[in-house]
């Protein structure tokens, strides 16, 4: 897919224009939640000031994150491949480096499928997060992520296909953010 192939709906345009720091998209499978959130995430990184360099994409596992954002023909990585470089191992682990007008930005791909996974973001000064299926993430990971979002004046974009309203992510975070 090329940038010229993108068709953006009115609702998608509203999401891309939003200045909200926390955005949660909930809906059925195939509703383009991840597509639009991925574009917004990429544009916010691409336009960020030079002092902001670290970002995170989190999914249930690193393999799922790769399938959704590296292997997917309609992901921001594929669409803007000319400024994105993926490395799956080595120094810094699994990451995407984005070349922007203000310098290189690093997006770390992490999984939250294990309680200890949240430790992968400890010590980082993360400016923004994109979290897939947040309702399946562990409470410790979610707590650590929200701490970094607010401490660093960052942003958080999440998706889910919906979940039980008494899950900790809904009870402690998402339901409190609803208008």
């Amino acid at each position: 897919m090329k940038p010229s192939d993108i068709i953006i709906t009115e609702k998608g345009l509203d999401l891309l224009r939003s200045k909200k720091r926390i955005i949660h998209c909930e809906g059925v499978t195939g509703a383009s939640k991840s597509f639009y959130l991925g574009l917004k995430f990429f544009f916010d990184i691409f336009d960020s000031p030079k002092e902001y360099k670290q970002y995170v994409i989190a999914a249930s596992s690193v393999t799922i994150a790769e399938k959704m954002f590296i292997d997917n023909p309609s992901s921001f990585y594929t669409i803007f491949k000319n400024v994105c470089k993926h490395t799956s191992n080595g120094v810094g682990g699994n990451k995407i480096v984005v070349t922007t007008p203000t310098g290189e930005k690093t997006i770390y791909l992490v999984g939250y499928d294990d309680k200890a996974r949240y430790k992968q973001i400890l010590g980082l000064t993360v400016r923004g997060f994109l979290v897939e299926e947040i309702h399946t993430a562990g409470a410790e990971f979610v707590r650590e992520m929200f701490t970094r979002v607010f401490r660093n004046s960052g942003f958080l974009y999440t998706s889910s296909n919906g979940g039980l309203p008494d899950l900790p992510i809904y009870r402690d975070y998402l339901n409190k953010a609803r208008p």
Side-chain angles (χ1 to χ4, degrees), residues 64-133:
I64 296 296
E66 285 180 320
K67 286 178 183 177
M68 293 189 73
F69 295 100
I70 304 302
D71 301 335
N72 186 340
S74 64
S75 73
F76 75 85
Y77 175 81
T78 305
I79 295 168
F80 300 106
K81 197 165 184 141
N82 59 329
V83 296
C84 296
K85 180 183 176 199
H86 174 245
T87 55
S88 59
N89 52 28
V91 177
N94 204 317
K95 64 187 174 204
I96 300 169
V97 176
V98 180
T99 304
T100 76
T102 59
E104 288 188 342
K105 314 293 178 153
T106 303
I107 304 169
Y108 296 100
L109 303 179
V110 301
Y112 52 72
D113 54 348
D114 162 328
K115 278 189 171 184
R117 295 287 181 171
Y118 79 94
K119 293 179 181 173
Q120 294 177 351
I121 64 172
L122 294 176
L124 297 180
T125 305
V126 177
R127 172 68 173 171
F129 289 86
L130 173 58
V131 183
E132 286 296 318
E133 300 299 333

Side-chain angles (χ1 to χ4, degrees), residues 17-176:
R17 289 179 177 156
S18 177
K19 301 293 183 199
K20 301 290 183 184
R21 289 180 45 214
I22 297 177
I23 297 174
H24 177 67
C25 292
E26 183 178 65
V28 298
T29 301
S32 299
K33 301 176 301 288
S34 298
F35 172 74
Y36 284 117
L37 288 173
L39 284 180
K40 178 143 184 69
F41 185 70
F42 173 81
F43 291 142
D44 285 356
I45 291 170
F46 196 80
D47 294 335
S48 67
K50 67 179 179 177
E51 62 268 16
Y52 301 124
K53 298 182 183 297
Q54 296 179 321
Y55 301 85
V56 168
I57 291 177
S60 60
S61 69
V62 173
T63 302
I64 296 296
E66 285 180 320
K67 286 178 183 177
M68 293 189 73
F69 295 100
I70 304 302
D71 301 335
N72 186 340
S74 64
S75 73
F76 75 85
Y77 175 81
T78 305
I79 295 168
F80 300 106
K81 197 165 184 141
N82 59 329
V83 296
C84 296
K85 180 183 176 199
H86 174 245
T87 55
S88 59
N89 52 28
V91 177
N94 204 317
K95 64 187 174 204
I96 300 169
V97 176
V98 180
T99 304
T100 76
T102 59
E104 288 188 342
K105 314 293 178 153
T106 303
I107 304 169
Y108 296 100
L109 303 179
V110 301
Y112 52 72
D113 54 348
D114 162 328
K115 278 189 171 184
R117 295 287 181 171
Y118 79 94
K119 293 179 181 173
Q120 294 177 351
I121 64 172
L122 294 176
L124 297 180
T125 305
V126 177
R127 172 68 173 171
F129 289 86
L130 173 58
V131 183
E132 286 296 318
E133 300 299 333
I134 193 167
H135 65 290
T136 64
E140 292 178 73
F141 178 86
V142 171
R143 191 171 28 259
E144 196 63 44
M145 180 188 57
F146 269 95
T147 298
R148 277 160 174 53
V149 167
F150 288 105
R151 182 191 71 196
N152 301 330
S153 298
F155 61 86
L156 170 64
Y157 304 145
T158 67
S159 73
S160 78
N161 292 335
L164 297 173
D166 61 341
L167 287 172
I169 185 64
Y170 283 100
R171 186 185 64 238
D172 299 341
Y173 298 98
L174 299 177
N175 289 343
K176 292 181 180 189

